[in-house]
Amino acid sequence: MTGDVQTPAPVPEPLQVALHGLCPRCGAKTLFAGLTNFTDRCPACDLDISAFNVGDGPAAFLTLIIGAIVMIGAVTLTLTLAPPIWVHLLIWTPLTAIGVIGALRLSKAALISLEYRNKATEGRIKAEDA
């Protein structure tokens, strides 16, 4: 006898969500509406993605990290080859933009996945029983 009972799809891992833009509940590729903007709801499972709040922490943190990496690269390039300034602009401007946007997309998706997985909510003060 074959059963028609469907087992629920496994919840995707945070790394899978981040790399592929998957919904943290159903695994459909519906997390992003734009380059770094989230959709309001998953069309596949109706998860309210707008209820999650990852804030601006990842943006500031990643900008500092990628900025440091770019500065190290630019100083190293200057000290070894001494190219003109237009070469620096041609190399480092797109690399910085791609690095920040790509890392921001990954980190925000991973944080959304972790918020969903851990059922994170805003802090609330419990009312003491009288």
Side-chain angles (χ1 to χ4, degrees):
M1 178 160 127
T2 60
D4 288 10
V5 178
Q6 294 180 354
T7 59
V11 176
E13 294 293 321
L15 185 62
Q16 293 173 319
V17 171
L19 290 175
H20 303 293
L22 305 178
C23 170
R25 180 193 288 167
C26 69
K29 201 169 189 175
T30 58
L31 186 61
F32 289 101
L35 205 51
T36 58
N37 297 334
F38 296 114
T39 58
D40 290 332
R41 290 192 169 279
C42 173
C45 68
D46 204 38
L47 174 66
D48 184 14
I49 295 171
S50 65
F52 297 102
N53 182 15
V54 294
D56 291 333
F61 189 63
L62 291 170
T63 301
L64 289 172
I65 290 173
I66 292 171
I69 293 169
V70 166
M71 284 305 302
I72 291 168
V75 168
T76 303
L77 183 64
T78 297
L79 294 176
T80 56
L81 300 176
I85 192 73
W86 64 267
V87 172
H88 282 289
L89 291 173
L90 192 65
I91 293 171
W92 303 115
T93 303
L95 281 179
T96 303
I98 290 168
V100 169
I101 291 170
L104 187 61
R105 183 177 168 98
L106 290 172
S107 65
K108 286 174 72 174
L111 284 174
I112 287 254
S113 176
L114 290 170
E115 279 187 32
Y116 174 76
R117 173 176 279 203
N118 296 318
K119 299 174 181 65
T121 58
E122 289 188 29
R124 302 218 192 312
I125 297 174
K126 289 171 77 173
E128 292 186 34
D129 295 328

